[in-house]
Amino acid sequence: MTDLEKSMESMITVFNKYAHDGKHGKALTKKELRKLIEAELPNFLKTQKNPNTVDHIMKDLDQNKDDVLDFEEFMPFIAGLTMACEKYCSMSAKKK
Amino acid sequence: MTDLEKSMESMITVFNKYAHDGKHGKALTKKELRKLIEAELPNFLKTQKNPNTVDHIMKDLDQNKDDVLDFEEFMPFIAGLTMACEKYCSMSAKKK
């Protein structure tokens, strides 16, 4: 398996680790999302000063308003975060 | 670094490995995208029977029609592929 394939597998594995079996397959409640972020994205929460960050993320991502996130609602969060990281890194690289 | 953070870093690293320095930062031409897919997603191309797959992907992803993909145009491809994988895996799991 290539590094990129491993990354894709790893994102699914992390989601499945924290998600419960919902009506329509695996899904994350807000509590489970918070646990995932605290454990798997510790550096992200450090940069957020608003204590309601997880509430806001949940609201933004929960497209169908069923109060849980399936993988298709969760993935854009990771994608967005990765894009923000890349932007930040390339800006830092330009400054050097 | 957690597995999820490593995955995010890895997606950026893979992009940077194949992208060239363009006018507005790193970007992938169609040729570079093809190389990336062939080397880093070998299992994906095997499932595609259409020889113009890379052309179609490029056209779909190149939002601003500048004939190259920056990271923000590339990331949805990986996100979409990961969502498709997750759907396929969860369907296979249900059948078992």
Side-chain angles (χ1 to χ4, degrees):
Chain A
M1 219 189 247
T2 67
D3 281 353
L4 186 54
E5 289 172 333
K6 273 184 221 159
S7 301
M8 290 163 57
E9 191 185 47
S10 186
M11 292 186 284
I12 299 172
T13 305
V14 166
F15 174 82
N16 285 338
K17 185 176 162 187
Y18 292 88
H20 65 280
D21 283 309
K23 267 183 284 183
H24 309 287
K26 290 266 186 183
L28 288 173
T29 61
K30 186 157 74 183
K31 211 174 159 183
E32 288 163 343
L33 175 68
R34 186 185 300 276
K35 271 193 187 171
L36 186 158
I37 294 175
E38 282 172 356
E40 310 293 341
L41 297 166
N43 295 308
F44 168 70
L45 270 194
K46 266 186 230 162
T47 63
Q48 304 297 317
K49 280 172 188 148
N50 189 329
N52 301 321
T53 296
V54 180
D55 300 70
H56 290 306
I57 295 172
M58 186 77 193
K59 217 173 170 181
D60 278 352
L61 297 173
D62 184 16
Q63 293 286 319
N64 63 355
K65 306 288 166 214
D66 64 353
D67 292 322
V68 291
L69 303 182
D70 59 21
F71 190 76
E72 290 194 21
E73 290 169 326
F74 171 72
M75 188 64 225
F77 171 53
I78 302 303
L81 216 52
T82 310
M83 289 191 269
C85 281
E86 193 274 338
K87 208 168 223 170
Y88 178 78
C89 292
S90 68
M91 269 166 27
S92 311
K94 267 184 203 158
K95 275 189 195 156
K96 277 178 196 161
Chain B
M1 220 189 248
T2 67
D3 281 351
L4 186 55
E5 288 172 333
K6 274 185 220 158
S7 301
M8 291 164 57
E9 191 186 48
S10 186
M11 293 185 284
I12 299 172
T13 306
V14 166
F15 174 82
N16 286 338
K17 185 175 162 189
Y18 293 88
H20 65 280
D21 284 309
K23 268 183 283 181
H24 309 287
K26 290 266 187 182
L28 289 172
T29 61
K30 187 156 74 183
K31 211 174 158 183
E32 288 163 343
L33 175 67
R34 187 186 299 277
K35 272 192 187 171
L36 185 157
I37 293 175
E38 282 172 356
E40 310 292 341
L41 297 166
N43 295 309
F44 168 71
L45 269 193
K46 265 185 233 165
T47 63
Q48 304 296 317
K49 279 170 189 151
N50 189 329
N52 301 322
T53 297
V54 180
D55 301 70
H56 289 306
I57 295 172
M58 187 78 193
K59 217 173 171 182
D60 279 352
L61 297 174
D62 184 15
Q63 293 285 320
N64 63 355
K65 306 289 167 215
D66 63 352
D67 292 323
V68 291
L69 302 182
D70 58 22
F71 190 76
E72 289 193 22
E73 289 168 328
F74 170 72
M75 188 63 225
F77 171 52
I78 302 303
L81 216 53
T82 310
M83 288 190 270
C85 281
E86 192 274 337
K87 206 167 225 170
Y88 179 77
C89 291
S90 67
M91 266 165 30
S92 312
K94 266 183 205 160
K95 273 189 196 157
K96 275 178 198 161

mmCIF file of all heavy atoms in Angstrom, chain B residues 1 11 16 22 31 34 40 42-43 45 47 54-55 62 64 68 70 73 81-82 84 92 94-95:
data_model
loop_
_atom_site.group_PDB
_atom_site.id
_atom_site.type_symbol
_atom_site.label_atom_id
_atom_site.label_comp_id
_atom_site.label_asym_id
_atom_site.label_seq_id
_atom_site.Cartn_x
_atom_site.Cartn_y
_atom_site.Cartn_z
ATOM 1 N N MET B 1 3.012 12.985 16.950
ATOM 2 C CA MET B 1 1.939 13.218 15.970
ATOM 3 C C MET B 1 0.985 12.011 15.924
ATOM 4 O O MET B 1 1.444 10.877 15.931
ATOM 5 C CB MET B 1 2.576 13.414 14.585
ATOM 6 C CG MET B 1 1.896 14.498 13.771
ATOM 7 S SD MET B 1 2.521 14.513 12.068
ATOM 8 C CE MET B 1 3.377 16.069 12.083
ATOM 9 N N MET B 11 -0.766 13.585 2.896
ATOM 10 C CA MET B 11 -1.468 14.039 1.687
ATOM 11 C C MET B 11 -0.805 15.286 1.107
ATOM 12 O O MET B 11 -0.692 15.432 -0.105
ATOM 13 C CB MET B 11 -2.948 14.301 1.999
ATOM 14 C CG MET B 11 -3.697 13.020 2.340
ATOM 15 S SD MET B 11 -5.478 13.254 2.565
ATOM 16 C CE MET B 11 -5.549 14.000 4.189
ATOM 17 N N ASN B 16 3.005 17.745 -2.888
ATOM 18 C CA ASN B 16 4.224 18.540 -3.125
ATOM 19 C C ASN B 16 5.292 17.765 -3.902
ATOM 20 O O ASN B 16 6.083 18.359 -4.631
ATOM 21 C CB ASN B 16 4.814 19.032 -1.799
ATOM 22 C CG ASN B 16 3.994 20.162 -1.211
ATOM 23 O OD1 ASN B 16 3.255 20.845 -1.935
ATOM 24 N ND2 ASN B 16 4.091 20.362 0.090
ATOM 25 N N GLY B 22 4.362 26.793 -9.374
ATOM 26 C CA GLY B 22 3.627 27.566 -10.371
ATOM 27 C C GLY B 22 3.610 29.040 -10.013
ATOM 28 O O GLY B 22 4.268 29.464 -9.065
ATOM 29 N N LYS B 31 -0.133 16.062 -16.570
ATOM 30 C CA LYS B 31 0.931 15.064 -16.625
ATOM 31 C C LYS B 31 1.400 14.678 -15.210
ATOM 32 O O LYS B 31 1.620 13.502 -14.906
ATOM 33 C CB LYS B 31 2.113 15.671 -17.406
ATOM 34 C CG LYS B 31 2.928 14.668 -18.177
ATOM 35 C CD LYS B 31 3.974 15.389 -19.028
ATOM 36 C CE LYS B 31 5.112 14.468 -19.390
ATOM 37 N NZ LYS B 31 6.149 15.176 -20.158
ATOM 38 N N ARG B 34 -1.268 12.630 -13.521
ATOM 39 C CA ARG B 34 -1.230 11.253 -14.011
ATOM 40 C C ARG B 34 -0.122 10.455 -13.308
ATOM 41 O O ARG B 34 -0.347 9.333 -12.851
ATOM 42 C CB ARG B 34 -1.027 11.224 -15.530
ATOM 43 C CG ARG B 34 -1.140 9.822 -16.147
ATOM 44 C CD ARG B 34 -0.790 9.825 -17.623
ATOM 45 N NE ARG B 34 -1.680 10.678 -18.396
ATOM 46 C CZ ARG B 34 -2.888 10.304 -18.849
ATOM 47 N NH1 ARG B 34 -3.318 9.084 -18.622
ATOM 48 N NH2 ARG B 34 -3.639 11.137 -19.537
ATOM 49 N N GLU B 40 0.905 6.592 -6.842
ATOM 50 C CA GLU B 40 0.423 6.629 -5.458
ATOM 51 C C GLU B 40 -0.967 6.018 -5.282
ATOM 52 O O GLU B 40 -1.383 5.740 -4.159
ATOM 53 C CB GLU B 40 0.416 8.083 -4.936
ATOM 54 C CG GLU B 40 1.714 8.858 -5.139
ATOM 55 C CD GLU B 40 2.877 8.323 -4.292
ATOM 56 O OE1 GLU B 40 2.613 7.606 -3.311
ATOM 57 O OE2 GLU B 40 4.043 8.613 -4.627
ATOM 58 N N PRO B 42 -2.243 3.209 -7.343
ATOM 59 C CA PRO B 42 -2.248 2.180 -8.392
ATOM 60 C C PRO B 42 -3.546 1.364 -8.413
ATOM 61 O O PRO B 42 -4.010 0.965 -9.481
ATOM 62 C CB PRO B 42 -1.045 1.304 -8.025
ATOM 63 C CG PRO B 42 -0.783 1.577 -6.575
ATOM 64 C CD PRO B 42 -1.153 3.002 -6.375
ATOM 65 N N ASN B 43 -4.133 1.170 -7.249
ATOM 66 C CA ASN B 43 -5.367 0.375 -7.195
ATOM 67 C C ASN B 43 -6.567 1.124 -7.761
ATOM 68 O O ASN B 43 -7.527 0.521 -8.198
ATOM 69 C CB ASN B 43 -5.656 -0.051 -5.760
ATOM 70 C CG ASN B 43 -4.585 -0.989 -5.256
ATOM 71 O OD1 ASN B 43 -4.273 -1.967 -5.918
ATOM 72 N ND2 ASN B 43 -3.994 -0.677 -4.109
ATOM 73 N N LEU B 45 -6.490 3.257 -10.444
ATOM 74 C CA LEU B 45 -6.496 3.204 -11.916
ATOM 75 C C LEU B 45 -6.902 1.824 -12.435
ATOM 76 O O LEU B 45 -7.518 1.714 -13.487
ATOM 77 C CB LEU B 45 -5.137 3.606 -12.481
ATOM 78 C CG LEU B 45 -4.949 5.083 -12.796
ATOM 79 C CD1 LEU B 45 -3.706 5.303 -13.644
ATOM 80 C CD2 LEU B 45 -6.151 5.698 -13.531
ATOM 81 N N THR B 47 -9.207 0.009 -11.361
ATOM 82 C CA THR B 47 -10.671 -0.116 -11.378
ATOM 83 C C THR B 47 -11.307 0.719 -12.492
ATOM 84 O O THR B 47 -12.495 0.612 -12.747
ATOM 85 C CB THR B 47 -11.285 0.342 -10.038
ATOM 86 O OG1 THR B 47 -10.976 1.748 -9.864
ATOM 87 C CG2 THR B 47 -10.732 -0.449 -8.862
ATOM 88 N N VAL B 54 -7.968 10.150 -16.421
ATOM 89 C CA VAL B 54 -7.213 11.276 -15.861
ATOM 90 C C VAL B 54 -7.677 12.609 -16.468
ATOM 91 O O VAL B 54 -7.799 13.615 -15.761
ATOM 92 C CB VAL B 54 -5.690 11.074 -16.038
ATOM 93 C CG1 VAL B 54 -4.915 12.250 -15.456
ATOM 94 C CG2 VAL B 54 -5.242 9.782 -15.350
ATOM 95 N N ASP B 55 -7.990 12.593 -17.783
ATOM 96 C CA ASP B 55 -8.522 13.814 -18.415
ATOM 97 C C ASP B 55 -9.824 14.258 -17.737
ATOM 98 O O ASP B 55 -10.016 15.440 -17.465
ATOM 99 C CB ASP B 55 -8.818 13.556 -19.906
ATOM 100 C CG ASP B 55 -7.586 13.134 -20.662
ATOM 101 O OD1 ASP B 55 -7.099 12.014 -20.442
ATOM 102 O OD2 ASP B 55 -7.093 13.943 -21.452
ATOM 103 N N ASP B 62 -10.429 21.000 -11.879
ATOM 104 C CA ASP B 62 -9.827 22.294 -12.196
ATOM 105 C C ASP B 62 -10.896 23.397 -12.195
ATOM 106 O O ASP B 62 -11.352 23.856 -13.240
ATOM 107 C CB ASP B 62 -9.125 22.201 -13.556
ATOM 108 C CG ASP B 62 -8.396 23.485 -13.911
ATOM 109 O OD1 ASP B 62 -8.191 24.322 -13.010
ATOM 110 O OD2 ASP B 62 -8.048 23.646 -15.095
ATOM 111 N N ASN B 64 -10.972 26.640 -11.518
ATOM 112 C CA ASN B 64 -10.755 27.952 -12.132
ATOM 113 C C ASN B 64 -10.220 27.863 -13.574
ATOM 114 O O ASN B 64 -9.835 28.860 -14.158
ATOM 115 C CB ASN B 64 -9.828 28.824 -11.268
ATOM 116 C CG ASN B 64 -8.437 28.208 -11.137
ATOM 117 O OD1 ASN B 64 -8.207 27.085 -11.616
ATOM 118 N ND2 ASN B 64 -7.529 28.921 -10.517
ATOM 119 N N VAL B 68 -4.139 23.711 -14.301
ATOM 120 C CA VAL B 68 -3.349 23.079 -13.235
ATOM 121 C C VAL B 68 -4.226 22.962 -11.985
ATOM 122 O O VAL B 68 -5.234 23.653 -11.854
ATOM 123 C CB VAL B 68 -2.057 23.872 -12.874
ATOM 124 C CG1 VAL B 68 -1.039 23.826 -13.994
ATOM 125 C CG2 VAL B 68 -2.383 25.306 -12.480
ATOM 126 N N ASP B 70 -4.231 23.336 -7.909
ATOM 127 C CA ASP B 70 -3.550 23.671 -6.663
ATOM 128 C C ASP B 70 -4.054 22.694 -5.592
ATOM 129 O O ASP B 70 -4.908 21.853 -5.866
ATOM 130 C CB ASP B 70 -3.766 25.142 -6.276
ATOM 131 C CG ASP B 70 -5.226 25.498 -6.115
ATOM 132 O OD1 ASP B 70 -6.031 24.584 -5.883
ATOM 133 O OD2 ASP B 70 -5.564 26.681 -6.206
ATOM 134 N N GLU B 73 -7.761 22.375 -5.058
ATOM 135 C CA GLU B 73 -8.505 21.680 -6.109
ATOM 136 C C GLU B 73 -8.216 20.168 -6.073
ATOM 137 O O GLU B 73 -9.040 19.359 -6.501
ATOM 138 C CB GLU B 73 -8.117 22.244 -7.488
ATOM 139 C CG GLU B 73 -8.646 23.660 -7.726
ATOM 140 C CD GLU B 73 -8.041 24.340 -8.953
ATOM 141 O OE1 GLU B 73 -6.860 24.064 -9.277
ATOM 142 O OE2 GLU B 73 -8.735 25.165 -9.562
ATOM 143 N N LEU B 81 -12.504 10.185 -3.058
ATOM 144 C CA LEU B 81 -12.037 8.797 -3.192
ATOM 145 C C LEU B 81 -12.138 8.079 -1.846
ATOM 146 O O LEU B 81 -12.544 6.905 -1.782
ATOM 147 C CB LEU B 81 -10.572 8.843 -3.643
ATOM 148 C CG LEU B 81 -10.080 7.782 -4.602
ATOM 149 C CD1 LEU B 81 -10.973 7.712 -5.825
ATOM 150 C CD2 LEU B 81 -8.647 8.091 -5.018
ATOM 151 N N THR B 82 -11.788 8.781 -0.793
ATOM 152 C CA THR B 82 -11.855 8.182 0.550
ATOM 153 C C THR B 82 -13.309 7.899 0.935
ATOM 154 O O THR B 82 -13.622 6.859 1.504
ATOM 155 C CB THR B 82 -11.192 9.121 1.589
ATOM 156 O OG1 THR B 82 -9.909 9.500 1.109
ATOM 157 C CG2 THR B 82 -11.037 8.430 2.929
ATOM 158 N N ALA B 84 -15.723 7.264 -1.153
ATOM 159 C CA ALA B 84 -16.154 6.125 -1.966
ATOM 160 C C ALA B 84 -15.638 4.816 -1.363
ATOM 161 O O ALA B 84 -16.362 3.822 -1.283
ATOM 162 C CB ALA B 84 -15.653 6.286 -3.399
ATOM 163 N N SER B 92 -19.601 -3.723 2.065
ATOM 164 C CA SER B 92 -19.043 -5.082 2.106
ATOM 165 C C SER B 92 -19.194 -5.673 3.508
ATOM 166 O O SER B 92 -19.494 -6.847 3.676
ATOM 167 C CB SER B 92 -17.555 -5.077 1.751
ATOM 168 O OG SER B 92 -17.311 -4.346 0.603
ATOM 169 N N LYS B 94 -21.492 -5.002 5.678
ATOM 170 C CA LYS B 94 -22.907 -5.344 5.941
ATOM 171 C C LYS B 94 -23.286 -6.680 5.323
ATOM 172 O O LYS B 94 -24.103 -7.416 5.852
ATOM 173 C CB LYS B 94 -23.814 -4.253 5.362
ATOM 174 C CG LYS B 94 -24.165 -3.191 6.397
ATOM 175 C CD LYS B 94 -25.121 -2.195 5.804
ATOM 176 C CE LYS B 94 -25.023 -0.867 6.531
ATOM 177 N NZ LYS B 94 -25.551 0.226 5.741
ATOM 178 N N LYS B 95 -22.684 -6.949 4.169
ATOM 179 C CA LYS B 95 -23.013 -8.191 3.454
ATOM 180 C C LYS B 95 -22.521 -9.423 4.208
ATOM 181 O O LYS B 95 -23.057 -10.496 4.051
ATOM 182 C CB LYS B 95 -22.355 -8.154 2.060
ATOM 183 C CG LYS B 95 -23.223 -7.455 1.020
ATOM 184 C CD LYS B 95 -22.632 -7.646 -0.352
ATOM 185 C CE LYS B 95 -23.257 -6.646 -1.346
ATOM 186 N NZ LYS B 95 -22.387 -6.437 -2.480
#
